[in-house]
Amino acid sequence: MQTGRRPIIAGNWKMYTTPPEGRALAQAIRARAEPLAQVDLVLCPPFTSLAVVAECLQGSPIGLGAQNMHWELEGALTGEVSAKMLLTVGCHYVILGHSERRTCFGETDAMVHQKVLTALAVGLTPIVCVGETLVQREAGQTEAVVYTQVRSAFADIPSADLGRVILAYEPVWAIGTGRVATPVQANDVHRRIRALLAELADDTTAARVRIQYGGSVKPENAAALLAEPDIDGALVGGASLKVETFLEIVRAAVS
Ligand code: 13P
């Protein structure tokens, strides 16, 4: 992390926690995280727990995020959730283009782009996920893959709007596998993403955008990852479901 960019730690609860479980988790995190004032904290529960978690977080600085949304504001789209719905329930953030959405549900770069446009238009902060598979990394394609994802997600987006986004570099091979990118490997990709942002917008915008790392972030590896100059936070899966491990990662961001 570099001074000037406020660290941001987000918990992606994925398809875990019923509303009562979500309430308990959010309440416990709120009760114990409040004194940590130098970091942005975001909880991203499943859709069905958003309302109850919003209620738990009322009046606290902890942000609420969804894990996905459709790009249309409304429509005959059975099973989908719109940006307006997320705003109404109290979300400020939305995770877009997570690799599980891309791999399991066929989300394309073009769909992610539409979603980014809609999120920005309604005032939601998109957390846009990019990352390569193991095969792509081993074939030396990491930069090409990530660049394509970033270029496509932010095509034709003015610099002022680009300055509002959050990126999450999540190498697919590190998600839920216990296999974490080394701090140097991760920072190297973050640095390249920032260079691309400078090309797409300008140096000031690129220097402002926060880039989280995600993929098997744990209390044991968080401090070393977050100490890297271009790693501005973490998008945490499994370890965000336990109060203590999540808060240890948050502490690592401020120490
Ligand atoms: P894990 O932390 O469980 O590897 O998940 C990372 C992730 O996908 C966060 O979005």
Side-chain angles (χ1 to χ4, degrees):
M1 263 160 328
Q2 223 164 42
T3 43
R5 286 193 296 269
R6 190 176 156 87
I8 176 162
I9 308 291
N12 175 7
W13 295 359
K14 306 197 178 184
M15 199 174 75
Y16 296 102
T17 69
T18 61
E21 290 164 349
R23 179 198 303 275
L25 185 53
Q27 276 173 345
I29 290 170
R30 177 180 183 167
R32 298 170 62 185
E34 211 82 44
L36 300 167
Q38 310 104 301
V39 57
D40 285 338
L41 218 59
V42 181
L43 304 183
C44 304
F47 289 134
T48 48
S49 293
L50 284 171
V52 78
V53 171
E55 207 182 292
C56 297
L57 299 183
Q58 244 173 34
S60 105
I62 303 174
L64 182 68
Q67 299 173 17
N68 182 32
M69 63 170 215
H70 198 272
W71 59 86
E72 294 290 347
L73 289 183
E74 61 183 8
L77 294 159
T78 303
E80 291 293 328
V81 170
S82 76
K84 249 178 19 185
M85 294 167 189
L86 299 183
L87 280 174
T88 308
V89 85
C91 289
H92 291 107
Y93 301 85
V94 61
I95 297 173
L96 297 177
H98 191 280
S99 72
E100 286 150 15
R101 301 291 323 161
R102 294 177 190 259
T103 314
C104 309
F105 302 99
E107 268 191 28
T108 61
D109 285 340
M111 288 156 86
V112 176
H113 179 225
Q114 290 302 310
K115 293 180 182 201
V116 170
L117 290 174
T118 300
L120 289 170
V122 302
L124 282 167
T125 299
I127 300 177
V128 180
C129 302
V130 297
E132 81 289 1
T133 64
L134 188 57
V135 172
Q136 290 165 334
R137 172 163 283 263
E138 286 174 347
Q141 294 167 347
T142 300
E143 180 176 300
V145 168
V146 169
Y147 270 29
T148 301
Q149 291 170 333
V150 173
R151 274 185 198 284
S152 168
F154 302 128
D156 305 322
I157 290 182
S159 301
D161 281 342
L162 201 50
R164 289 165 45 209
V165 308
I166 293 169
L167 268 147
Y169 169 57
E170 299 206 308
V172 178
W173 48 272
I175 295 176
T177 57
R179 186 175 167 182
V180 64
T182 65
V184 170
Q185 271 177 330
N187 192 69
D188 183 51
V189 180
H190 283 226
R191 189 175 42 76
R192 291 176 204 220
I193 292 174
R194 206 176 297 288
L196 176 59
L197 292 174
E199 214 181 280
L200 296 177
D202 51 70
D203 288 347
T204 315
T205 305
R208 185 184 320 144
V209 171
R210 291 179 292 179
I211 308 176
Q212 299 176 308
Y213 169 79
S216 297
V217 176
K218 303 270 181 293
E220 307 84 70
N221 56 35
L225 286 161
L226 293 167
E228 292 292 328
D230 282 298
I231 301 184
D232 309 310
L235 183 54
V236 187
S240 72
L241 294 167
K242 293 210 179 86
V243 183
E244 205 32 58
T245 50
F246 187 57
L247 292 181
E248 272 187 55
I249 293 168
V250 175
R251 278 178 219 121
V254 290
S255 54

